[in-house]
Amino acid sequence: MNVLTSTSKFVLFNSVMFLLISCMSCSDKEKKIEQAKHKKKIHYHEKQTLTKNFKGKYVPVLCYHAIREINKDDSANKKTYSVTPSNFATQIKALADNGYISITPEKLRDFYTKQKPLPEKPIVITFDDGRKEQYSIGATTLEKHHFKGVFFIMTVTIGKENYMNKNEIKSLSDKGHSIGCHTWDHNKVTGYKKDDWEKQLSKPKHQLENITHKPVTSFAYPYGVWNRTAADSIKNNGFTTAFIVYGKPDASVPLYTIKRIVVKNSWSTKDFLNNLTKGM
C-alpha cells in the first residue's frame, strides 16, 4: 500500500511539473508573438505619409560650398561652387533685411509631417563638405544676423588642411548650428555596394554624433545625385531628411529628396532674392 502511494505521488508530481513547464512555454511563445506584432518592420519602398503642407508651402533651402576669392583662371567648376566673402555677406544681410528666419532640417521635417508651425519666411541655409572657411567666415557671418546654418561634413577630411577639425565641428553644434552627414569621402551613393553603406553612412554618422554628442539626422547626397536604393538605405540608417541639388523632389520619398538652391556668386542681390521664390 505504501509503495502504491509513493508511486502515485511520483506520477502526480511529474504531471504537475509537465503542466507548469507547458504553461510557461506557452506564455513565452505568446510573449514572442505579441512582441513580433509590435516590432516595426522595414518596408524599403514604403511611401511616406505627409501633410498637405508639403505641397502647400515652399521653404527655400540654400546650398553653399566654398567661400573664397575667385580668380579669373579658376575652373568653371570652382567658379560654380564658390561665392566670395563679400558677396556672401551681402546675401546673408539681404535675408535678414527681408525678414527671413533660419530653421533646422528637423523643424522643416516636423512642419511637413506634423504641421508644426514655421516662421512667416523660413529658410534653410546649408554648407557642403566641411571647409574651414565655412566655420571662420560662414558661421561668423550667419551669427551676426542671428541665423543658424546646416553643415554637411564628409568625415574623411576632418582635421585636414582647409577643412574643419573636431573642435570646430563641436563648436558649431554647441552654438546651435546643425551638423549633417555628407558621407565619408564624397563618392556618389548610386555606386555603393554592400559594405559601402556602413563605411559611407553608418560610421560617419556615428563619428559625427560622437563629436557633437547629438543625433545626426540630416544627409546631403554627394553631387546631389541619388536613387531609390540610396534613399531607402539613408532612411534605414536613422536619417530623417536628405537633400539633393538637381532635379525635382520625388513624391514617394519627398523628405529624402529635398531640393536645394546652389547659390551663384554672379547673382545680384535682386537675383538672389528672386531665386528664393522660384519654387513657389
Side-chain angles (χ1 to χ4, degrees):
M1 190 69 178
N2 289 335
V3 174
L4 181 61
T5 301
S6 299
T7 303
S8 299
K9 287 181 179 180
F10 179 78
V11 172
L12 179 61
F13 174 80
N14 283 336
S15 299
V16 171
M17 290 301 296
F18 176 80
L19 288 171
L20 285 172
I21 292 169
S22 298
C23 288
M24 289 174 66
S25 179
C26 289
S27 179
D28 289 341
K29 287 180 181 178
E30 287 172 358
K31 285 181 181 179
K32 288 180 180 180
I33 292 170
E34 194 64 23
Q35 288 172 354
K37 287 180 180 178
H38 293 285
K39 188 176 181 181
K40 187 175 180 181
K41 295 180 180 180
I42 296 174
H43 299 288
Y44 288 91
H45 295 283
E46 182 182 69
K47 189 172 182 179
Q48 295 168 11
T49 302
L50 303 174
T51 69
K52 62 182 180 181
N53 283 337
F54 201 88
K55 293 183 178 180
K57 186 179 183 72
Y58 170 71
V59 178
V61 182
L62 303 181
C63 177
Y64 288 98
H65 289 80
I67 306 171
R68 55 183 281 277
E69 297 299 336
I70 299 175
N71 301 314
K72 63 179 181 179
D73 295 330
D74 284 342
S75 66
N77 188 63
K78 275 191 175 182
K79 290 178 180 178
T80 297
Y81 295 105
S82 298
V83 173
T84 64
S86 60
N87 280 353
F88 179 76
T90 298
Q91 291 167 355
I92 299 305
K93 184 178 184 299
L95 293 178
D97 290 345
N98 283 271
Y100 282 95
I101 297 177
S102 62
I103 64 170
T104 64
E106 291 75 23
K107 287 188 176 180
L108 182 64
R109 175 201 65 207
D110 288 346
F111 168 71
Y112 286 143
T113 59
K114 302 176 183 178
Q115 293 186 305
K116 289 191 175 182
L118 288 180
E120 184 179 348
K121 296 180 78 172
I123 192 163
V124 183
I125 307 170
T126 74
F127 301 82
D128 283 6
D129 303 337
R131 294 178 59 87
K132 179 78 79 174
E133 76 273 9
Q134 295 173 359
Y135 175 82
S136 59
I137 299 174
T140 301
T141 304
L142 292 183
E143 289 161 10
K144 287 180 181 177
H145 300 282
H146 308 289
F147 288 131
K148 302 298 182 187
V150 185
F151 296 83
F152 291 109
I153 310 294
M154 56 176 175
T155 54
V156 70
T157 61
I158 293 176
K160 293 187 177 180
E161 187 178 4
N162 298 324
Y163 290 90
M164 291 185 224
N165 58 39
K166 292 180 181 180
N167 290 335
E168 289 165 336
I169 294 169
K170 178 69 162 59
S171 175
L172 287 175
S173 178
D174 289 345
K175 291 178 181 178
H177 299 284
S178 297
I179 302 300
C181 182
H182 200 37
T183 73
W184 177 63
D185 64 354
H186 209 267
N187 275 320
K188 293 179 182 178
V189 298
T190 50
Y192 291 175
K193 307 300 181 184
K194 288 182 179 180
D195 294 339
D196 292 329
W197 298 112
E198 182 178 3
K199 177 182 177 181
Q200 299 287 358
L201 296 182
S202 180
K203 287 184 177 180
K205 183 180 191 294
H206 292 150
Q207 183 179 352
L208 292 171
E209 289 175 338
N210 287 334
I211 293 171
T212 62
H213 305 298
K214 295 177 184 178
V216 171
T217 59
S218 56
F219 179 87
Y221 298 98
Y223 308 100
V225 178
W226 76 286
N227 59 21
R228 186 56 193 264
T229 299
D232 290 333
S233 293
I234 289 163
K235 177 182 178 182
N236 291 327
N237 270 276
F239 295 98
T240 57
T241 55
F243 295 80
I244 62 175
V245 290
Y246 303 111
K248 296 180 179 180
D250 189 290
S252 64
V253 283
L255 290 177
Y256 295 88
T257 52
I258 299 172
K259 179 70 181 293
R260 295 188 290 170
I261 303 164
V262 177
V263 181
K264 307 296 183 185
N265 184 68
S266 59
W267 287 345
S268 65
T269 302
K270 183 180 179 180
D271 292 335
F272 173 71
L273 293 171
N274 284 341
N275 272 283
L276 301 185
T277 60
K278 276 191 173 182
M280 298 179 70

